[in-house]
């Protein structure tokens, strides 16, 4: 093969061959900065590999010269083509002539684990394309063995043919001849801590976690954060993260860690790593000792002269010596140099999107329609905004927390969102071009109207989450997932998402939010208005058809339909004359409202009966916000009167979110409760006395608070003792996947999350179950 390009020897003319990631690292390693050593397998090798693919498929035979013109709006065709291309690459042979030099060079590092980082350069006149491809291509880990290296190379190369990548190339008019994908190979050393440093003129931010940085990349920990004053290097503020686990090289397990998980809990591209659960004492410690923190700050100060005031580096502190050694692993110079960060909120739904702002001053005055793709800037969002959100590209709200309606709706619809962005409607004007970062909770102004800025905006949109469920795995991905025993369910409300979600690795729908589902059919009128105006039969037919779409799509898998749980202030445009109570945090919600006005609940039960009559026996009823046993008994009788219980498979469940259930669950079971589903959002706000809609109280609204976790553990144990299943459908497992380990240990029956969280929740469940199996095996041996 052609020579390998070592980082400390790369020249300017090599940039296209080695890609931008390796090129930037080479610049600073050659100036004496501490960069993790590495070499590059050039982009030319990928071209030769594609040219040598031996396939009868015409689609493959023309590679790499094929233009691959696809109808990217046909997502099913896009997924099929992407899956076929990647399968061809993964089953092809990488010649020993290429693998052997890589293996021999890597052996010099005397490490058992390697990381292969995609390093891309695109031959195009648009510089913005090369500036930011984060999230498009991912690193691959492998053992330092010839066969593992060959497979890792193919995995890395195949990523340019993923559906998301093909969509990206197509929208930007890039053909395969313009794509130069090199592979940067580096050793993976066992780390004390890892993280990132992000700098700009207004302030620096350091993120850190124990072990390798993959825990941050996978969203499995909430890192420690340090805010630094750039001019002085003074630490202005530091926040302790939530770090329950860490990653290490498999043959170098650090003594400070405990309870390793076996490799079978890892996906194939991380087979040389092992996950460790950290002792509780270490979880409560900052992962950076003061000396390491100061080393990173000093390094950032030096790099300003090389890279300018705005850049991001990723770093690791290895255990090569007793004192640890700081290395730079990645560098992204001037990533946001043309943007000015001016608003900070809470990142409620991930992704990045650039678009024009549309400011709505009064949330109660809804427009007839919204322009497609805009970033909606508004003080707060109530559920009745749902029909309008289908068109927007991003959401910024001044109020709300991570479990607010805006956050929940955005996550289900796959819309990038920032909430609790103070004074956003004042600081932003309609027509401004914004960059919205839903992961960091930041809003940037995009300066200028240049062609480069427009291309940057298009690029951000393609890399954002606002394309039909790009974060959700398609069938080709799920085939690699390990088996799990804990049921994984999905939270849904929109029938438009069914086709994208029904093939996810889920066991059914754990929460069908009726109050959001029916907004699509009510035409802005309260159900009582339909009933009082004599349109009950019409509404019943529409309601039944909505439920039936979910029953049909997921059969025979169960669907847990949660009956209406409205507060009048949540739906100002649907207020009814029968609702006369003053607004409050709680309102006359849940089953109490059924006692006061049973007509709508009776209509829901008739709709469920219609679904049963149509031949679907997989829909169950989940009662919301049950305060007393008397309320449950009232609802159970209504259910019996609707003849729903005559179908043997039908189950009547209740939400466990009002704290009284902690004392009354045995009585509820005696009254006929067949199962419970823990709603962590309401349970948290009621236990801690914090309104979930108030984003400024985000630090207080803590679903991992010991009181909340103790209540969850108690509910699971009580359900087990009563012999009924216990699910959890609040936002906590999706927002904080580290708690899944505890849920599985306690014996949770099922976990239900938003579509975007399915894959990471699946993996978290698998790791938790493997840990329990390992612990049981050890006890047996002892």
């Amino acid at each position: 093969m052609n020579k390998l390009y070592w980082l400390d020897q790369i020249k300017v003319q090599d940039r296209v061959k080695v890609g931008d990631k390796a090129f930037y690292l080479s610049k600073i390693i050659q100036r004496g900065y501490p960069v993790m050593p590495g070499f590059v397998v050039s982009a030319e090798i990928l071209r030769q590999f594609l040219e040598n693919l031996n396939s009868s498929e015409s689609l493959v035979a023309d590679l790499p010269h094929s233009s691959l013109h696809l109808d990217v709006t046909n997502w099913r065709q896009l997924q099929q083509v992407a899956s076929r291309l990647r399968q061809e690459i993964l089953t092809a042979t990488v010649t020993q002539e290429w693998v052997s030099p890589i293996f021999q060079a890597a052996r010099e590092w005397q490490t058992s684990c390697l990381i292969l980082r995609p390093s891309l350069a695109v031959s195009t006149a648009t510089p913005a394309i090369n500036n930011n491809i984060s999230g498009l291509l991912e690193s691959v880990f492998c053992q330092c063995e010839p066969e593992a290296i060959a497979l890792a190379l193919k995995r890395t190369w195949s990523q340019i043919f993923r559906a998301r990548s093909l969509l990206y190339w197509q929208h930007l008019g890039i053909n395969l001849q313009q794509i130069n994908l090199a592979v940067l190979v580096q050793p993976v050393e066992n780390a004390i801590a890892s993280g990132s440093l992000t700098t700009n003129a207004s302030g620096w931010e350091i993120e850190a976690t124990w072990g390798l940085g993959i825990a941050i990349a996978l969203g499995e920990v909430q890192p420690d954060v340090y805010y630094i004053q750039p001019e002085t290097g003074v630490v202005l503020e530091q926040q302790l993260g939530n770090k329950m686990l860490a990653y290490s090289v498999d043959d170098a397990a650090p003594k400070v860690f405990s309870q390793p998980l076996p490799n079978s809990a890892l996906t194939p591209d991380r087979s040389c790593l092992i996950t460790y659960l950290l002792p509780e004492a270490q979880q409560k410690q900052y992962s950076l000792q003061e000396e390491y923190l100061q080393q990173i700050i000093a390094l950032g100060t030096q790099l300003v002269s090389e890279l300018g005031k705005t850049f991001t580096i990723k770093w690791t502190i290895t255990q090569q010596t007793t004192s640890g050694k700081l290395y730079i692993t990645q560098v992204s110079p001037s990533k946001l140099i043309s943007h000015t960060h001016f608003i900070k909120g809470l990142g409620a739904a991930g992704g990045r999107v650039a678009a024009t702002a549309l400011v709505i001053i009064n949330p109660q005055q809804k427009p007839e329609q919204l322009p497609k793709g805009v970033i909606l800037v508004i003080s707060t969002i109530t559920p009745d905004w749902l029909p309008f959100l289908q068109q927007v590209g991003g959401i910024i709200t001044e109020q709300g927390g991570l479990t607010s309606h805006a956050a929940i709706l955005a996550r289900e619809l796959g819309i990038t969102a920032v909430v609790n962005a103070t004074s956003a409607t004042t600081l932003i004007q309609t027509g401004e071009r914004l960059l919205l970062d839903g992961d960091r909770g930041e809003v940037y102004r995009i300066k200028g109207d240049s062609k480069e800025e427009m291309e940057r905006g298009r690029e951000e949109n393609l890399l954002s989450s606002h394309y039909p469920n790009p974060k959700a795995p398609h069938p080709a991905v799920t085939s690699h997932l390990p088996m799990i025993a804990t049921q994984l369910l999905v939270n849904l409300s929109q029938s438009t998402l069914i086709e994208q979600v029904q093939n996810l690795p889920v066991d059914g729908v754990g929460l069908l939010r009726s109050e959001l589902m029916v907004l699509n059919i009510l035409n802005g009128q309260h159900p009582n208005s339909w009933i009082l105006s004599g349109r009950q039969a019409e509404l019943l037919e529409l309601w039944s058809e909505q439920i039936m779409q979910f029953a049909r799509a997921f059969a025979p898998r169960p669907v847990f339909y949660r009956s209406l749980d409205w507060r009048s202030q949540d739906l100002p445009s649907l207020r009814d004359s029968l609702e006369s109570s003053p607004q409050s945090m709680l309102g006359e919600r849940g089953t109490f409202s059924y006692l006061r006005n049973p007509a709508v609940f009776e209509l829901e039960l008739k709709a469920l009966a219609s679904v049963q009559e149509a031949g679907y026996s997989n829909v169950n009823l989940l009662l919301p916000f049950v305060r007393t046993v008397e309320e449950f008994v009232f609802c159970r009788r209504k259910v019996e009167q609707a003849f729903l219980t005559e179908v043997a498979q039908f189950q009547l469940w209740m939400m466990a979110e009002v704290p009284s259930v902690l004392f009354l669950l045995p009585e509820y079971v005696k009254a006929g409760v067949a199962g419970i589903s823990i709603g962590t959002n309401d349970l948290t706000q009621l236990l801690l006395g914090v309104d979930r809609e108030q984003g400024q109280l985000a630090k207080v609204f803590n679903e991992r608070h010991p009181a909340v976790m103790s209540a969850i553990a108690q509910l699971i144990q009580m359900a087990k003792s009563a012999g009924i299943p216990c699910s959890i459908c609040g936002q906590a497992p999706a927002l904080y996947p580290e708690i899944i380990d505890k849920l599985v240990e306690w014996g949770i029956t099922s976990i239900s999350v938003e579509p975007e969280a399915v894959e990471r929740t699946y993996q978290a469940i698998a790791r938790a179950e493997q840990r329990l199996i390992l612990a049981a095996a050890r006890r047996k041996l002892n």
Side-chain angles (χ1 to χ4, degrees), residues 95-390:
T95 172
Q96 282 302 310
E97 181 185 350
W98 295 345
V99 175
S100 182
I102 298 171
F103 173 59
Q104 295 301 327
R107 287 181 65 184
E108 296 180 12
W109 294 319
Q110 296 183 341
T111 181
S112 63
C113 189
L114 305 175
I115 183 171
L116 277 64
R117 304 185 191 272
S119 186
L120 185 71
V122 179
S123 304
T124 171
T126 307
I129 292 174
N130 286 326
N131 285 348
N132 178 21
I133 59 159
S134 62
L136 189 65
L137 307 177
E138 297 147 9
S139 299
V140 174
F141 292 85
C142 74
Q143 294 176 331
C144 188
E145 298 292 344
E147 289 185 6
I149 291 171
L151 178 58
L153 270 176
K154 292 187 290 184
R155 287 185 177 278
T156 308
W157 288 336
S158 70
Q159 292 184 63
I160 65 173
F161 297 106
R162 291 196 299 191
R164 192 178 186 187
S165 301
L166 294 175
L167 171 70
Y168 180 78
W169 314 133
Q170 186 89 336
H171 273 276
L172 292 181
I174 300 171
N175 59 46
L176 290 181
Q177 291 75 43
Q178 295 174 287
I179 300 171
N180 300 285
L181 177 58
V183 180
L184 170 61
V185 182
Q186 292 176 293
V188 181
E189 301 288 350
N190 197 33
I192 298 171
S194 304
S196 64
L197 164 66
T198 301
T199 72
N200 55 55
S202 61
W204 294 5
E205 184 177 299
I206 295 173
E207 291 186 345
T209 192
W210 296 107
L212 297 171
I214 187 173
I216 298 177
L218 294 175
E220 294 176 342
V221 298
Q222 181 181 356
D224 303 329
V225 182
Y226 306 81
Y227 298 99
I228 314 298
Q229 213 280 338
E231 289 76 19
T232 63
V234 172
V235 180
L236 300 174
E237 182 185 354
Q238 60 187 46
Q239 297 175 359
L240 183 66
N242 191 283
K243 312 176 298 295
M244 289 184 66
L245 56 82
Y247 280 86
S248 169
V249 178
D250 193 0
D251 65 350
K255 301 298 183 184
V256 293
F257 293 162
S258 67
Q259 299 180 14
L261 301 180
N263 284 336
S264 58
L266 300 170
T267 53
D269 60 354
R270 301 199 295 275
S271 56
C272 62
L273 301 183
I274 190 165
T275 316
Y276 287 88
L277 291 176
L278 293 163
E280 286 192 21
Q282 193 173 4
Q283 294 177 32
K284 298 174 183 178
Q285 297 175 4
Y286 283 93
S287 49
L288 275 180
Q289 297 178 18
E290 182 64 24
E291 63 173 303
Y292 298 141
L293 177 60
Q294 293 304 320
Q295 286 181 30
I296 295 168
I297 294 172
L299 179 61
T301 303
Q302 292 176 309
L303 285 170
V304 167
S305 62
E306 306 283 354
L307 304 173
K309 293 183 178 180
T310 305
F311 60 86
T312 298
I313 63 168
K314 293 187 178 180
W315 53 265
T316 188
I317 299 170
T318 69
Q319 288 186 330
Q320 288 180 331
T321 64
T322 54
S323 59
K325 186 171 181 180
L326 173 65
Y327 283 106
I328 299 170
T329 58
Q330 293 186 63
V331 58
S332 304
S334 304
K335 188 172 182 180
L336 293 171
I337 202 154
S338 60
H339 305 322
T340 303
H341 160 220
F342 72 110
I343 290 179
K344 175 76 174 177
L346 297 173
R352 293 159 60 89
V353 63
T356 302
L358 175 66
V359 181
I360 302 291
I361 301 298
N362 185 353
Q364 296 187 26
Q365 294 180 354
K366 299 180 181 64
E368 291 188 7
Q369 62 180 17
L370 295 177
K372 189 173 183 179
V374 297
I375 294 176
L376 176 64
V377 186
I378 191 169
S379 60
T380 187
I381 285 179
T382 49
D384 53 350
W385 270 89
L386 176 63
F388 299 90
L389 300 183
Q390 311 282 353

Side-chain angles (χ1 to χ4, degrees), residues 545-775:
E545 179 52 36
Q546 283 283 306
I547 301 172
M548 206 172 305
Q549 289 184 59
F550 294 93
R552 183 185 306 120
F554 287 91
R557 292 175 289 178
V559 174
F560 287 88
Y561 171 91
R562 188 180 69 186
S563 49
L564 289 180
D565 186 21
W566 276 342
R567 300 178 303 172
S568 58
Q569 62 266 38
D570 291 341
L571 299 151
S573 64
L574 270 69
R575 281 196 191 128
D576 184 76
S577 59
L578 295 176
E579 298 175 347
S580 57
S581 62
Q583 292 187 19
S584 71
M585 183 178 77
L586 302 180
E588 293 181 357
R589 53 179 294 195
T591 53
F592 179 78
S593 66
Y594 306 165
L595 272 74
R596 185 168 177 269
N597 177 27
V600 177
F601 181 58
E602 291 170 354
L603 181 72
E604 287 187 271
L605 298 180
K606 289 179 181 178
L608 292 173
S610 296
V611 173
Q612 287 186 349
E613 291 167 5
Y616 298 102
S617 58
N618 59 325
V619 180
N620 305 298
L621 178 59
L622 184 57
L623 296 173
F625 215 79
V626 183
R627 293 176 172 91
T628 66
V629 176
E630 289 74 21
E631 288 178 10
F632 175 80
V633 170
F634 170 84
C635 295
R636 190 203 68 205
R637 288 172 180 164
K638 291 288 183 182
V639 167
E640 292 169 348
Q641 290 168 10
F643 304 109
L644 292 174
T645 53
E646 292 191 2
V647 173
Q649 295 91 329
F650 176 81
Q651 297 182 41
L652 178 59
W653 284 34
M654 61 174 277
M655 295 292 297
E657 51 198 353
V658 178
S660 60
V661 74
L662 291 164
F663 306 95
L664 297 175
L665 185 56
E667 300 303 316
Y668 282 117
V669 174
K670 289 178 184 177
V673 167
I676 60 171
S677 184
I678 302 173
T680 56
N681 303 344
D682 279 320
L683 184 64
T684 301
Q685 77 168 349
L686 295 175
L687 281 173
L688 302 183
V690 182
D691 188 348
R692 55 187 272 202
E693 292 290 327
Q694 301 303 311
Q696 65 268 29
L697 299 175
K699 292 183 180 179
V700 184
F701 187 91
N702 181 7
E703 291 166 298
R704 297 162 296 174
H705 189 283
V708 179
M709 295 300 290
S710 177
I712 293 172
Q714 181 179 331
L715 287 169
I716 296 172
Q717 183 56 51
M718 292 174 73
K720 288 171 66 177
S721 299
I724 63 170
C726 178
S727 182
I728 188 166
C729 65
Q731 299 299 306
L735 292 175
Y736 313 110
E738 63 270 18
I739 74 171
I740 290 173
D741 197 82
K742 288 293 185 185
L743 295 175
V744 173
E745 180 182 342
W746 293 334
I748 196 77
T749 308
S750 59
I751 299 174
S752 191
V753 296
E754 313 302 320
E756 59 88 20
V758 164
E759 186 175 5
R760 66 175 182 268
T761 304
Y762 196 113
Q763 295 287 3
I765 292 173
R767 285 192 297 272
E769 292 182 350
Q770 289 289 347
R771 184 190 68 80
L772 288 175
I773 294 170
L774 180 63

Side-chain angles (χ1 to χ4, degrees), residues 49 53 84 86-94 151 154:
F49 174 79
L53 283 178
R84 196 181 331 152
R86 296 186 69 199
Q87 189 63 27
E88 287 283 348
I89 291 174
L90 293 174
T91 55
T93 300
V94 181
L151 178 58
K154 292 187 290 184

